[in-house]
Amino acid sequence: MLNFFNKEKKFPHIKEGEGHPLILLHGLMGGLSNFQALLDFFPKKGYKVIIPSLPIYNMPLFLTNISNLSKYVIQFLMEIGIKKATLIGNSLGGHLALIIAKKRIDLVHSLVLTGSSGLFEKAFGDAFPKREDYEYIRKKSQEVFYDPKIATKELVDEVFHIVNDRKKGMKILYIAKSAMKYNMSKDLSVIKQPICLIWGKQDHVTPPEIAEEFHRLLPHSELYWIDKCGHVPMMEHPKIFINILEKWLSKFDFNHENYFCKI
């Protein structure tokens, strides 16, 4: 489990390295540790890696929705003086990245989406059926990955405790519902930033056809596949994910004030 290097109360986050900023946005049931491999790698390659802790469980219930989460991330970027960052989002984090890219072009140089919501996803639905059934939660957690062994007992225990905590469970459902309502199919054509789509071929939460649809609707996107991989590629195949991402980022000259593409 990652610990915060910066425990500043308003915007707790991890920050390592110097250079072009990479902002890592985790999913609804994910956490900062999902990005451990990227945090270990990219600061050594001349990038500033920043992982904000999304306040999923800290907002008042009536404000708990994807729009207010996106406003939080915008405020966070402004507070720490970040402009023209690359937003890297998994699942809900990808959805947030798309909303921010549409609303604040000044803050976003490019996007990396992996298993992103925003068009469609298979979630728990309107409730957590059998939430007190540990085996059911274990099975649902395993379905996120191609290799069920990635869903360790520690991970399953964490999900089980979240969905069985009444307040946390309610907030998860509120955000999930708001994300499903916030469909971005009509918004994607106006997002002009370069976009890298990295998708697991066996993603059952946001299936491959969703990646194809993102690729079709986003005018400046490139699509990369990882085989034998589910919904969280940076956890399941971190080396392959990093290799794809590093090569894609190398197209840009981040030393130039306009961050132009070299090819």
Side-chain angles (χ1 to χ4, degrees):
M1 186 65 68
L2 294 176
N3 294 315
F4 293 121
F5 297 132
N6 185 320
K7 293 190 177 181
E8 190 263 324
K9 290 182 180 179
K10 191 174 181 183
F11 298 106
H13 63 281
I14 290 172
K15 179 171 68 176
E16 278 205 14
E18 294 298 330
H20 175 69
L22 307 179
I23 312 298
L24 313 186
L25 302 172
H26 62 79
L28 183 58
M29 300 295 286
L32 284 72
S33 58
N34 292 20
F35 291 111
Q36 182 68 63
L38 278 67
L39 184 68
D40 291 341
F41 182 85
F42 282 102
K44 300 171 185 175
K45 298 294 182 177
Y47 294 94
K48 180 187 293 183
V49 177
I50 300 171
I51 316 179
S53 178
L54 300 178
I56 291 170
Y57 308 120
N58 299 330
M59 296 186 293
L61 191 59
F62 72 97
L63 294 176
T64 302
N65 56 57
I66 194 167
S67 293
N68 282 319
L69 275 180
S70 67
K71 289 176 185 176
Y72 173 90
V73 177
I74 289 170
Q75 291 169 353
F76 166 67
L77 295 175
M78 295 174 65
E79 177 80 12
I80 64 174
I82 295 293
K83 291 184 178 180
K84 296 297 181 184
T86 296
L87 307 186
I88 303 174
N90 173 240
S91 198
L92 177 80
H95 201 161
L96 291 173
L98 287 165
I99 295 170
I100 296 164
K102 180 194 170 191
K103 289 184 175 180
R104 294 295 302 268
I105 192 171
D106 58 314
L107 298 178
V108 182
H109 165 265
S110 50
L111 300 176
V112 179
L113 308 178
T114 180
S116 177
S117 59
L119 291 178
F120 169 81
E121 65 174 326
K122 294 179 182 176
F124 280 98
D126 292 335
F128 291 111
K130 305 179 186 176
R131 67 178 184 176
E132 295 178 359
D133 184 339
Y134 185 87
E135 283 304 305
Y136 171 80
I137 298 299
R138 182 180 64 80
K139 183 174 179 292
K140 297 299 288 186
S141 299
Q142 289 176 340
E143 287 175 0
V144 172
F145 305 99
Y146 175 81
D147 179 1
K149 293 178 184 175
I150 304 290
T152 62
K153 186 178 185 303
E154 182 184 15
L155 186 150
V156 176
D157 286 349
E158 185 175 354
V159 174
F160 183 77
H161 290 311
I162 288 171
V163 299
N164 282 284
D165 180 305
R166 187 175 179 278
K167 289 184 179 179
K168 287 184 178 181
M170 284 291 291
K171 291 186 176 184
I172 288 284
L173 289 175
Y174 270 54
I175 292 173
K177 284 184 180 181
S178 72
M180 285 187 277
K181 289 178 182 178
Y182 201 135
N183 186 284
M184 299 197 70
S185 56
K186 295 180 180 179
D187 301 317
L188 299 182
S189 63
V190 305
I191 298 175
K192 305 300 185 184
Q193 294 97 327
I195 297 177
C196 178
L197 302 165
I198 306 177
W199 230 264
K201 282 188 176 181
Q202 291 77 27
D203 186 341
H204 297 301
V205 180
T206 47
E209 57 266 29
I210 302 304
E212 296 280 9
E213 187 70 356
F214 271 123
H215 187 35
R216 184 180 73 82
L217 294 173
L218 289 163
H220 301 292
S221 63
E222 298 176 47
L223 175 57
Y224 300 89
W225 297 103
I226 300 180
D227 196 12
K228 297 182 180 178
C229 182
H231 186 57
V232 195
M234 69 284 184
M235 281 182 70
E236 196 155 12
H237 291 287
K239 290 182 180 179
I240 299 173
F241 186 94
I242 286 170
N243 185 52
I244 293 170
L245 179 53
E246 185 183 25
K247 286 182 178 178
W248 188 78
L249 289 170
S250 72
K251 297 179 179 184
F252 304 101
D253 186 349
F254 293 117
N255 294 316
H256 191 278
E257 61 179 2
N258 291 320
Y259 291 87
F260 67 92
C261 184
K262 292 192 287 190
I263 60 173

